[in-house]
Amino acid sequence: MPTPRNLAAIEAGGTKFVCALSTPEGDVLAQAAFPTRTPAETFADLADFFRAAQARHGDAVRTGLAAFGPIDLDPASPSFGCLVTTPKAGWSGTNIVRAVASAVGAPVVAETDVNAAALGEGLQGQATGLANFAYVTIGTGIGVGVVLDGQLRQTFPHPEIGHLQVSRAPGDGFAGTCPFHGDCLEGLASGPAMKARWGRAAQELAPDHPGWDMAAHYIAALCVNLAYTLRLDRIVLGGGVMSPPFLVDRVRAGFARLMAGYALGPRAVATETFIMPTALLETSPALIGAMAMARRAAGDA
């Protein structure tokens, strides 16, 4: 009987971890999700899942990790694999790559969660077939993964586009929640920022609540910056804050208003196709990307 060459994939988010064991072809054999607690508790949950899944289906040979950050992914760095100065309390300094390798028992190839999600959107989602696009997640934090000329844009350290300074929405005097910058984009429009601003989670706000128009303004401002600096074919918006189906249309309207007709380019004119919500896939784009990373690493081994 041939030795299994299964793959492990993990989407490590600031709110929850999603993990899967799959065949080399990407068929999911087992999957689970659990809240992101302390590092010790979270990695114990991770180890329990993979111990049971691999006992039933066979061992994984590679692990693809899509991690929240900031994370040091420079292979030459002495802190490679570590989370650095992350807003997630209790996680700064954690070597997440080493901990995941120990929990799964297989070598790890790591990427930021937004970069992995961008890979997933390019493989199976809203950016399939496109050479130049960005994936934006607006949730616990705000992050952006960029693909240019068909290649994932990778730098060390990785871009922190969620901490851009953006123009204030009219009448907005909120101080912001970012522990480093206060009113950067993440401090004004992330899920925790909306909860701190309005006293309720974004998903609990009514469609006519003014919070949605403010959120749309800030997300549209980000899209304007991406459109002008990178000249993309598409921007894909995901994350928990983008869950309400009406929000993407408000972002599109805000984008058109902020662009003000200047140097739009043929793609950005049609905002319905330039700005798209993330695909409703059975598996999240970040997990799809993590599986693809593990598959590629196993093939190169």
Side-chain angles (χ1 to χ4, degrees), residues 179-197:
F180 300 98
H181 312 117
D183 62 350
C184 64
L185 177 67
E186 186 170 293
L188 293 171
S190 66
M194 291 190 71
K195 184 174 183 178
R197 183 199 296 269

Side-chain angles (χ1 to χ4, degrees), residues 4 6 16 19 37 63 66 73 98 121 146 183 199 230 236 251-252 254 256-257 261 267 273 278 283:
N6 293 330
K16 66 179 179 179
C19 46
R37 300 186 288 165
T63 301
L73 292 177
R98 186 168 60 204
E121 288 287 351
V146 176
D183 62 350
L230 300 176
V236 181
V251 172
R252 288 167 176 158
R257 182 180 67 255
R267 299 181 187 93
T273 55
T278 188
T283 303

Side-chain angles (χ1 to χ4, degrees), residues 1 11 41 155 182 213 259:
M1 184 174 180
E11 179 183 358
E41 292 170 319
T155 61
D213 288 335
M259 292 286 278

Side-chain angles (χ1 to χ4, degrees), residues 127-161:
T128 303
L130 298 180
N132 302 287
F133 64 90
Y135 171 81
V136 179
T137 183
I138 305 104
T140 305
I142 295 178
V144 183
V146 176
V147 172
L148 297 175
D149 295 326
Q151 299 296 316
L152 193 64
R153 181 79 172 98
Q154 294 172 302
T155 61
F156 305 118
H158 55 79
E160 284 291 340
I161 299 174

Side-chain angles (χ1 to χ4, degrees), residues 26 36 153 187 235 250:
T36 305
R153 181 79 172 98
I235 298 172
R250 299 190 194 184

Side-chain angles (χ1 to χ4, degrees), residues 2-301:
T3 302
R5 292 186 59 81
N6 293 330
L7 305 172
I10 300 164
E11 179 183 358
T15 301
K16 66 179 179 179
F17 272 49
V18 182
C19 46
L21 185 71
S22 77
T23 67
E25 296 74 30
D27 297 320
V28 176
L29 300 167
Q31 183 170 329
F34 40 83
T36 305
R37 300 186 288 165
T38 66
E41 292 170 319
T42 304
F43 294 129
D45 290 341
L46 195 69
D48 289 344
F49 167 78
F50 279 107
R51 188 180 302 113
Q54 292 181 97
R56 181 175 181 182
H57 299 288
D59 291 345
V61 295
R62 286 291 186 277
T63 301
L65 170 64
F68 75 96
I71 180 171
D72 185 350
L73 292 177
D74 183 354
S77 171
S79 59
F80 170 74
C82 292
L83 296 171
V84 292
T85 59
T86 177
K88 182 67 177 176
W91 281 78
S92 292
T94 299
N95 193 318
I96 190 170
V97 170
R98 186 168 60 204
V100 165
S102 176
V104 179
V108 174
V109 55
E111 190 47 89
T112 63
D113 49 2
V114 288
N115 274 1
L119 287 175
E121 288 287 351
L123 288 168
Q124 298 183 27
Q126 298 282 37
T128 303
L130 298 180
N132 302 287
F133 64 90
Y135 171 81
V136 179
T137 183
I138 305 104
T140 305
I142 295 178
V144 183
V146 176
V147 172
L148 297 175
D149 295 326
Q151 299 296 316
L152 193 64
R153 181 79 172 98
Q154 294 172 302
T155 61
F156 305 118
H158 55 79
E160 284 291 340
I161 299 174
H163 291 268
L164 285 174
Q165 300 295 316
V166 291
S167 61
R168 285 274 185 164
D172 184 13
F174 181 59
T177 60
C178 176
F180 300 98
H181 312 117
D183 62 350
C184 64
L185 177 67
E186 186 170 293
L188 293 171
S190 66
M194 291 190 71
K195 184 174 183 178
R197 183 199 296 269
W198 305 112
R200 287 179 289 166
Q203 291 79 0
E204 298 175 12
L205 301 179
D208 60 352
H209 192 282
W212 292 119
D213 288 335
M214 281 195 178
H217 169 89
Y218 292 119
I219 299 166
L222 170 60
C223 291
V224 168
N225 287 329
L226 293 174
Y228 280 142
T229 56
L230 300 176
R231 290 306 190 185
L232 303 168
D233 299 316
R234 180 164 296 162
I235 298 172
V236 181
L237 302 178
V241 172
M242 287 302 306
S243 297
F246 58 79
L247 185 55
V248 68
D249 285 331
R250 299 190 194 184
V251 172
R252 288 167 176 158
F255 174 81
R257 182 180 67 255
L258 292 172
M259 292 286 278
Y262 176 73
L264 286 168
R267 299 181 187 93
V269 171
T271 56
E272 318 79 47
T273 55
F274 183 70
I275 298 175
M276 300 282 287
T278 188
L280 296 176
L281 302 172
E282 186 174 340
T283 303
S284 75
L287 203 61
I288 291 170
M291 288 179 190
M293 289 154 44
R295 186 181 308 115
R296 187 178 307 155
D300 292 341

